[in-house]
Amino acid sequence: MLKKILLVLMIMPVSAPARAAEAGSANGGNIAFMLVCSAMVMLMTPAVALFYGGMVRTKNVLNTIMQCVFVMGLITIQWAVIGYSLAFGTDAGHLIGGFNFAFLHGVGLTPSETYGTGIPHMLFMIFQCMFAVLTCALISGSFAERVSFSAFTLFILLWATLVYSPSAHWVWGSGGWMGKLGVLDFAGGTVVHILSGVSGLVIALMVGKRENYGVVPMPPHHLPMTMLGAALLWFGWFGFNAGSALAADGIAVNAFAVSHISAGAGVVAWVAAEWRRNGKPSLLGAACGCVAGLVSITPGAGFVGPMSAIIIGGVGGFLCFWGVNILKSKLGYDDSLDAFGVHGIGGTWGALATGIFASLKVNPGGADGLLHGNPRLLLVQIAGVAASACFAALITYVIAKAVNLMIPLRVSAEQEVKGLDVTLHGENAYGENAFNRL
C-alpha cells in the first residue's frame, strides 16, 4: 500500500500535452518563450562569476570573475565557428557531429524540422550556446586562485571543442550513442554537471593545492556577493530546465515546478546537515544547498514529478554537503570552490535518480524508471554516468598536459601570494587598503 501511495505522489501532476507546433510551421509563443529562456541561461554565467567571486579571497576576486566573463566571449565564438556543428551536426559514427553547420552554415531563421516545436534553427543554436558557455565557466571553480589566465584560456578553448561538443552530441545530437542507448538527460546532468565537475577536479589535482592550503584560513571574502550569485542562478535555472522542453508546454511547466521544489529541498537538506554537524546554520550552506538541489534535478526535470523532486533535491543537498565537507577533507584534495563537490556529485546523483524516478506519465517521450517497473533505465543511466566521467577525466588530463607544455598551468608562488588580480590583470577590486589582501 505504501509503495502504491508513493508511486501516485511521484507522478503528480502528470499531464504532458503534445507539442504545440507541427514541424516546419513557426510558433510565436514558443519562439518568445525560448528567447526568454536563452537570455535567462545567459545570465547564469555572470551569476556563477558572482557566486564564485564572493567565495575567493579579496586578492583573487577579479581573476575569478574574469574567467567567467572571458568565457562568455571566447566560447560564444568557438560555438558559432565549430562547436555547434560538432555537437549537433550530421552524425559521424554516433560519436560526434560533422562540419555541415561550421560557421553556422545552414543555421537559419526558419523552423527546424528536427525539433518540431516551431522555433528557428538559429534560436535552438543560441540556446545551446548558453549551455556551452556556462559549462566552461563552472569548471573554473575547482582550481580557482592558482591557475594562469593564459593557460586557462587555451585549455578551455580545447576543452569545449574536444570534450563538451562530443559529449553533447552523444546525448542530444541526432544519432549520438547515448541517446540511442536510451540515456535520459533533460537539461545537462551528464553533459553539463558531470563533465564540469570531473574535469575541474582533474585540473585541481594536476596543479596541486593552493599555497598554505590547510594551514592559513581561506574563508569567503564576500558572502552577500555569493548569495546574489546563487539567487541569480536559481532564477536563471528556470530558463535552463524549462527551456529544455523547447516549447511552452506542460513539460516545460513540470520542469519549472520541479526545479524550484528541488532547490528548496536542497537548501533545507544542506542547512540541516550543516546545523547538525557544526551546530550553526550558515548562509554559505544555504546558497550551496540551493545550487545542489538545482544540479540534482537537472537531468530529470522533464521526466519526474514534484514529489520525486523533493527526494532528489533533499538527497542531493545532503550528498553534496558530504562531498564538500567530509569527502574533500578525508581525501585531502583542494577543490577550491567545490565545483566537483556540487556539480560532479550532484550531477551524478541526479542522473541516477532519473533512472529511479522517471515516469512516462510525466513525459511520454521519456521512459519509466526503476520505481515504475523498468530497472533497465537505471542501468543505462549508470552507463551514461560512467562513460561521461571517464571521458571527461581522460581527455581533460591529455589537454592539460599538452597546454602545460606550452604555457605553465600554475602561476608562480610569488604571483599566488601577491594575488592574481594585481599580478595577472593589473587591477584591484577594492583599493589597496580597503581589505586585508590575504
Side-chain angles (χ1 to χ4, degrees):
M1 177 61 72
L2 179 59
K3 182 179 179 181
K4 290 182 179 179
I5 294 173
L6 285 173
L7 288 176
V8 171
L9 290 174
M10 296 304 172
I11 60 175
M12 295 176 59
V14 297
S15 59
R19 295 300 189 189
E22 296 296 327
S25 60
N27 184 297
N30 289 346
I31 292 172
F33 173 69
M34 291 304 299
L35 285 170
V36 172
C37 287
S38 299
M40 292 171 71
V41 181
M42 186 285 293
L43 183 64
M44 293 176 71
T45 298
V48 168
L50 294 174
F51 185 75
Y52 282 169
M55 288 198 285
V56 296
R57 290 169 288 178
T58 306
K59 61 185 179 181
N60 297 316
V61 57
L62 298 181
N63 172 258
T64 302
I65 293 174
M66 178 62 173
Q67 287 178 338
C68 296
V69 172
F70 191 71
V71 156
M72 293 178 71
L74 181 67
I75 302 305
T76 295
I77 296 171
Q78 181 271 350
W79 190 251
V81 172
I82 191 63
Y84 177 72
S85 191
L86 294 178
F88 294 97
T90 302
D91 179 69
H94 309 302
L95 296 176
I96 197 165
F99 296 101
N100 53 306
F101 293 146
F103 297 93
L104 299 185
H105 174 76
V107 181
L109 301 178
T110 56
S112 170
E113 294 184 2
T114 303
Y115 313 113
T117 60
I119 64 171
H121 192 171
M122 187 173 290
L123 179 51
F124 176 79
M125 179 279 300
I126 203 66
F127 179 68
Q128 290 295 336
C129 175
M130 304 310 177
F131 278 64
V133 169
L134 174 65
T135 306
C136 292
L138 291 174
I139 296 174
S140 64
S142 282
F143 46 80
E145 301 194 293
R146 60 197 188 276
V147 167
S148 158
F149 186 75
S150 54
F152 168 78
T153 299
L154 179 57
F155 166 80
I156 211 65
L157 181 62
L158 293 172
W159 187 90
T161 305
L162 301 177
V163 177
Y164 183 84
S165 286
S167 297
H169 183 77
W170 293 357
V171 178
W172 297 326
S174 178
W177 74 267
M178 279 195 189
K180 283 187 166 294
L181 184 64
V183 172
L184 295 183
D185 188 356
F186 190 72
T190 51
V191 180
V192 175
H193 299 297
I194 292 177
L195 291 187
S196 61
V198 170
S199 297
L201 179 61
V202 169
I203 300 296
L205 293 173
M206 291 179 71
V207 300
K209 301 176 185 178
R210 287 168 287 179
E211 292 287 336
N212 297 316
Y213 177 75
V215 177
V216 175
M218 299 179 181
H221 91 282
H222 201 306
L223 283 177
M225 180 188 294
T226 292
M227 188 60 240
L228 176 59
L232 291 173
L233 279 171
W234 196 330
F235 172 77
W237 226 292
F238 294 129
F240 191 81
N241 285 356
S244 292
L246 302 182
D249 63 7
I251 296 173
V253 172
N254 187 84
F256 190 110
V258 299
S259 297
H260 185 68
I261 291 169
S262 183
V267 170
V268 172
W270 188 301
V271 170
E274 179 182 58
W275 205 338
R276 178 174 176 80
R277 184 171 187 264
N278 302 332
K280 295 179 181 178
S282 73
L283 179 64
L284 179 61
C288 291
C290 88
V291 175
L294 290 163
V295 168
S296 299
I297 198 62
T298 292
F303 305 115
V304 306
M307 296 302 106
S308 296
I310 294 177
I311 299 173
I312 293 171
V315 173
F318 174 79
L319 288 176
C320 292
F321 171 83
W322 170 81
V324 168
N325 292 280
I326 299 172
L327 181 66
K328 184 168 74 168
S329 298
K330 286 187 175 181
L331 298 183
Y333 57 85
D334 184 11
D335 177 11
S336 307
L337 308 180
D338 301 308
F340 173 75
V342 174
H343 297 278
I345 292 175
T348 298
W349 158 243
L352 299 180
T354 303
I356 298 171
F357 297 105
S359 171
L360 283 169
K361 292 183 178 180
V362 173
N363 187 342
D368 281 327
L370 178 65
L371 280 181
H372 299 279
N374 180 21
R376 180 185 180 276
L377 181 60
L378 179 57
L379 297 177
V380 167
Q381 295 297 103
I382 292 171
V385 167
S388 297
C390 291
F391 178 72
L394 175 61
I395 305 303
T396 297
Y397 179 82
V398 172
I399 294 173
K401 278 289 187 181
V403 170
N404 197 51
L405 291 175
M406 296 178 278
I407 308 170
L409 281 169
R410 183 154 185 165
V411 298
S412 68
E414 181 181 2
Q415 288 175 311
E416 190 172 339
V417 170
K418 288 183 178 179
L420 305 189
D421 291 358
V422 171
T423 59
L424 298 186
H425 305 289
E427 297 177 296
N428 191 312
Y430 301 107
E432 285 293 336
N433 300 312
F435 289 91
N436 181 348
R437 288 183 51 78
L438 293 178

